[in-house]
Amino acid sequence: IARLEALRKKMHRELDGLPQRDILTFHEAFPYFAKEFGLRIVGVIEREPGAEPNARELARSVELVKKSGVRAIFAEPQYPSRSARAMEKETGVPVRFLDPAVTGPSEPAAAKDAYLAAMSRNLEVLKEALSQ
């Protein structure tokens, strides 16, 4: 618990002052995370994991990115990235990957710290994406 609380405090220290607060995600995996760290989810591209958006939904998402000024699109590494790459190409906004930490490593020895490692990587991804 102490390590989790230390990571949460570190994440607040490093994310709270970032100038960008708006994010666009591919799945509805991050509302709890966004609320904790004061991020605003301006849109979700795929409502159902694994259900690729159709052309109309992608076009709406492209327009949302252009209107909102979002500077990063966040996808999850567990899902195919074809739609994410199409969004990146159409908008010029980079796709970055956040791990919702719903799956763990296959080696039992790595499982002990898997959540902490995933959240530490997410912190670095967010800092890079939202500080520009």
Side-chain angles (χ1 to χ4, degrees), residues 109-122:
K112 180 178 134 192
D113 294 323
Y115 181 82
L116 294 169
M119 288 300 127
S120 293
R121 283 189 304 272
N122 286 344

Side-chain angles (χ1 to χ4, degrees), residues 1 7 9 47 73-74 78 83 91 93 107 123 132:
I1 292 172
L7 179 58
K9 287 179 181 178
R47 296 285 173 191
I73 299 167
F74 294 101
Q78 295 88 343
S83 296
T91 64
V93 175
E107 305 102 38
L123 172 60
Q132 299 185 18

Side-chain angles (χ1 to χ4, degrees), residues 24-90:
L24 181 79
T25 64
F26 257 79
H27 305 105
E28 291 187 307
F30 297 101
Y32 68 94
F33 189 88
K35 184 176 181 183
E36 173 71 29
F37 296 105
L39 304 174
R40 187 171 79 95
I41 298 174
V42 300
V44 176
I45 297 169
E46 292 180 8
R47 296 285 173 191
E48 296 293 324
E52 294 274 331
N54 62 37
R56 182 179 295 154
E57 291 167 331
L58 274 177
R60 279 196 300 252
S61 296
V62 167
E63 283 306 308
L64 177 61
V65 168
K66 291 177 179 179
K67 288 179 183 176
S68 71
V70 166
R71 294 186 185 163
I73 299 167
F74 294 101
E76 296 171 46
Q78 295 88 343
Y79 295 106
S81 62
R82 188 177 73 207
S83 296
R85 296 299 174 204
M87 287 287 298
E88 184 176 60
K89 183 179 177 185
E90 290 296 318

